[in-house]
Amino acid sequence: MILQTKWRKMSCIILAAAMLLSPWAGMSTVNAAGDTLTVSSEETLTSGAVLKKYVWNTTRSNKEIKVNANVVEVDLTNPYVKIDVMTGTENQFTRKQTVLGMATETKAVAGVNGDFYNTQAEGVPMGPQISNGQLMATPPYLPGFYTFAIDKNNKPIVDLFTFKGSMIARDGATYPLGGINKTYYWFEPDGEHSHIDGMFMYTSAWGQVDRSNDGVTVPTEVLVQNGVVVRIADNGIIDMIAPKDGYILRASGKAADFVREHVKVGEPIVADYQVLPQDPSKTYDAKTFKMMIGGHTILVDEGQPTEFSREVASLCCTRSRTALGYSKDEKTAYIITADYSGESKGLSMAELQQFMIKVGVWKGLNLDGGGSTQMVARPLGETKPVLINKTETGIQRKVVNGVGVYSLAPKGEVKGLFIQTPNVLFIGEQAQLSFKAYDEYYNPVETDKVAAQWAVADNMGTFKDNVFTPAKAGTAKVTAVSGKGSSSADIEVAGRDQLSGLKISANQLALTEGESYKVPVVATTKSGKTREVPPELIQWEVLGIQGEVKNGMLTVKSMAGSSAAQLIAKYDGFSTITTIPVGVDKIWYNLDDKAVMTLSDVKPQEVTAAVYVRSSETGNKYLELNYNFTNGKGNKWAYATLDTGILVEGEPQYMKMKVNGDESLNWLRAEIVDNSGKVHYVDFARSINWTGWKLLMADLTEYKMAYPIRVKSVYVVNEEIGQDERKAVSKIGIDDIMFTYRGPVPKQSNNAIQLTVNKKEVTVNGKAMTLEQAPVIVKDNTLIPIRFVTDALGGTVRWDDAERKVTVIRGDKMVDLWIDNPDLIVNGQRTTAEVAPTIMKDLTMVPLRILSENLGWKVTWDGKTQQIKLQ
């Protein structure tokens, strides 16, 4: 019984360092008086559950900051909804899973991450757990860990719980039971290991054969089925997961001696245990609880910030947060997350208390936060949940359990529809429209089993089943009807008159003969909508090289000595042009034939690192950077240092390299030394959150380097903040460091031109020539005959008689003009002239200034002499 007493010590001491608590310092203060809390959106998830998105504006350290937070409110009086605990994978501990994975697997309509856990152990919750009314884990003998539960009457509880249990052998001998499905931990305050002389039970919910063997104790295990001892492994383990009709006891030290003396194969053994409130005056019956999940410190009690029951120094500063609580009338549960990502600045523990009170929490506790914080929810009409918050690390961490919200409603009649349409369509585009439906309980309806009738107003197009083909430009009002639900949506159909711009996205291309390139064409409407035009609707023209564009892919057949290609794309009479120079990616480092001396370096000195040349399965050589950030303090760096005596050729625009990621969440950068000696720190990945090879690219033009440049290193950074959430020991691969160069775009030289209003004589580079029609002034604008473009400006002119359109192409510039229309298209952008092109004496006259300036000339005007100079 002395051992039992040790396990029940409740002194408030800091939790062991191996727990998921980050060593941050400097908590910010709360300026409650100046806080504003705004609901940015509200959406019903299912009958009895609502998602509210909040924006909290507050002042921190005399600076105004914004925090994005999410709250799922659950009506505990609604019979069609429940809260329960989600566990790992397939409802088993040790098999961690993301919150999204757990919610998807268990068909939850919403969920958040749950309890704290030892990141160095198997992956089980610190606290107790009851899921679907079944006890899966028991409370630890540690002080201050609060628990959230719901009793048989659907009343919420936030309180402290403990565990009492014993194993009774056939001869009547008893031994204390330390807990169910618990990993090792350390008693407080003496730091004694939990499993020394301990006996613990493991059920089928423990999803692996290894049961808390960290090398401190030697296990003796007992397999029990249907209350009878089936097998004993003395000083060994039973190589199986516990069966559903039994459990496995793990005993060590004195507990193992008890097994040897009192427990025999074939004899019955009785487990007597219960979860109890720590306060003996309270009469909770945990055996009848519907759910229970462990947490951390209490945060709010009776609608006020309360004293922390656990230390929070290691949880300080501003971070992502997860919390759980209930209202004063005990009718509403609040499931809460707050983000630390991007513009959202997270919450301190004190700020979290204030936020919880503001949204209605009467009593609530802290759940695991930081990089674990994840909230998912099922959008109305959808069948699967999605991540709705932004995680700290950019990835969804696998955690041990979570709190899920579940619908208990039957299938109901269709209540509403959502039509899903593109934000803009193009004439002749075939668009498959769809809809989502929800029933009277706000649960999704299987749309593949529900038909909808589609229609469009004003003959704007045609429908074949749910495929809509716009016939003309404008606003198409489409409607879908299914059961009692109907929905309409306006779709902008963009034609030439609706476009403000058309652009070929090829800014980073440099052409190589025989290669193919994607050349998407992006349209921007006058309403500000942007979308890629379907390739089949684009008419292409390729100039300067032998090539063709099919289905949005440019294939270069022959460069024929050209230094650039010109592409003209046209949609519904709206044209754009781009010039793509010839160029190549030049390999600078690949270890197969372009090796550069590479060594390793570290900061601080306690960090270790090493570089190796490795070969892939195909025989390709690459560099492997191994690092160990276990030792040392503060920010830590591991470098693959390169020979800075090797210059990088020319002035590259981009640096690329292939990296074999390790999902460490560490930061990947390169050091570039420019010609002035300045070191530029080039970011390749703020978080290495992938595995396998990936091509990374950095735009060097952002750094304003003085060329030539040298590569000093490629390195991995493990920042001090959140260090416990990233891998300390790992390795990455580096290969094919290359630089991208764009060749020069050829430019045409400008002729020096002088002309006089109302005179046909002009000079071009000092030589006289005569125009068909003298320049004239119309509304203070000079109009010149279109032939002037070919004879003097050096461009080419195309005439479209059907559209009465003139197209002028000169070098990499193109202008479309329509007779008697002031709207022009210049290099794919709509603009308006003061005077429209016109026909005079059977000659096409165009505005000189807007044409010449957009083709690259500077225009000067002498009012006295009525002379115009172009240069």
Side-chain angles (χ1 to χ4, degrees), residues 63 113 162 321:
K63 293 183 179 180
N113 59 295
T162 188
R321 301 291 180 190

Side-chain angles (χ1 to χ4, degrees), residues 224-258:
V224 180
Q225 287 183 270
N226 298 314
V228 176
V229 177
V230 174
R231 180 181 166 192
I232 298 175
D234 196 356
N235 288 333
I237 66 170
I238 294 175
D239 191 17
M240 62 181 287
I241 295 172
K244 292 188 179 298
D245 60 353
Y247 53 85
I248 292 175
L249 294 174
R250 184 196 189 280
S252 63
K254 294 178 182 178
D257 292 340
F258 173 84

Side-chain angles (χ1 to χ4, degrees), residues 88-388:
T89 302
E90 296 180 343
N91 202 38
Q92 285 189 314
F93 298 129
T94 76
R95 301 176 63 191
K96 295 183 291 186
Q97 190 172 193
T98 65
V99 173
L100 181 59
M102 286 188 283
T104 301
E105 179 185 315
T106 62
K107 296 180 171 54
V109 301
V112 295
N113 59 295
D115 201 352
F116 285 76
Y117 60 99
N118 183 336
T119 60
Q120 306 303 312
E122 301 90 344
V124 296
M126 280 294 302
Q129 179 175 318
I130 294 175
S131 182
N132 196 30
Q134 300 298 312
L135 179 64
M136 294 182 64
T138 52
Y141 294 118
L142 290 170
F145 280 93
Y146 269 76
T147 294
F148 179 94
I150 294 178
D151 70 11
K152 64 180 180 180
N153 298 315
N154 245 33
K155 294 295 184 182
I157 297 166
V158 172
D159 214 331
L160 294 168
F161 287 84
T162 188
F163 173 73
K164 180 180 180 181
S166 61
M167 298 303 301
I168 307 170
R170 182 179 183 180
D171 62 6
T174 65
Y175 197 88
L177 183 62
I180 299 174
N181 292 328
K182 307 305 293 182
T183 191
Y184 57 86
Y185 57 97
W186 295 266
F187 298 127
E188 300 172 3
D190 54 14
E192 183 180 352
H193 194 280
S194 61
H195 283 44
I196 293 175
D197 296 331
M199 182 177 291
F200 288 81
M201 177 188 294
Y202 297 87
T203 70
S204 60
W206 187 276
Q208 65 183 43
V209 171
D210 188 296
R211 285 167 280 273
S212 244
N213 295 317
D214 69 339
V216 175
T217 61
V218 177
T220 287
E221 294 195 336
V222 180
L223 172 61
V224 180
Q225 287 183 270
N226 298 314
V228 176
V229 177
V230 174
R231 180 181 166 192
I232 298 175
D234 196 356
N235 288 333
I237 66 170
I238 294 175
D239 191 17
M240 62 181 287
I241 295 172
K244 292 188 179 298
D245 60 353
Y247 53 85
I248 292 175
L249 294 174
R250 184 196 189 280
S252 63
K254 294 178 182 178
D257 292 340
F258 173 84
V259 170
R260 296 184 188 102
E261 185 174 350
H262 299 285
V263 179
K264 302 291 186 293
V265 172
E267 293 185 348
I269 189 169
V270 176
D272 182 19
Y273 55 84
Q274 57 183 323
V275 174
L276 302 166
Q278 287 189 19
D279 184 347
S281 67
K282 296 179 179 178
T283 57
Y284 306 131
D285 184 6
K287 291 181 181 178
T288 64
F289 284 179
K290 293 183 177 181
M291 64 82 69
M292 171 184 275
I293 190 165
H296 187 249
T297 180
I298 189 171
L299 293 172
V300 176
D301 195 6
E302 297 187 350
Q304 297 296 321
T306 189
E307 183 179 350
F308 301 126
S309 57
R310 294 289 299 178
E311 63 82 26
V312 295
S314 55
L315 294 174
C316 75
C317 296
T318 54
R319 300 218 48 190
S320 295
R321 301 291 180 190
T322 310
L324 192 56
Y326 63 84
S327 61
K328 183 177 182 179
D329 61 9
E330 299 182 338
K331 293 181 179 180
T332 304
Y334 300 91
I335 303 171
I336 298 167
T337 63
D339 290 351
Y340 180 80
S341 179
E343 65 176 11
S344 181
K345 300 306 180 183
L347 296 176
S348 68
M349 293 296 284
E351 290 170 339
L352 178 58
Q353 290 175 306
Q354 294 293 335
F355 178 84
M356 292 172 69
I357 293 167
K358 285 177 180 290
V359 299
V361 174
W362 177 253
K363 191 171 186 179
L365 69 140
N366 180 47
L367 294 178
D368 191 11
S372 294
T373 293
Q374 302 158 68
M375 178 177 277
V376 301
R378 186 188 68 188
L380 189 60
E382 299 287 342
T383 58
K384 294 182 179 180
V386 296
L387 182 72
I388 63 168

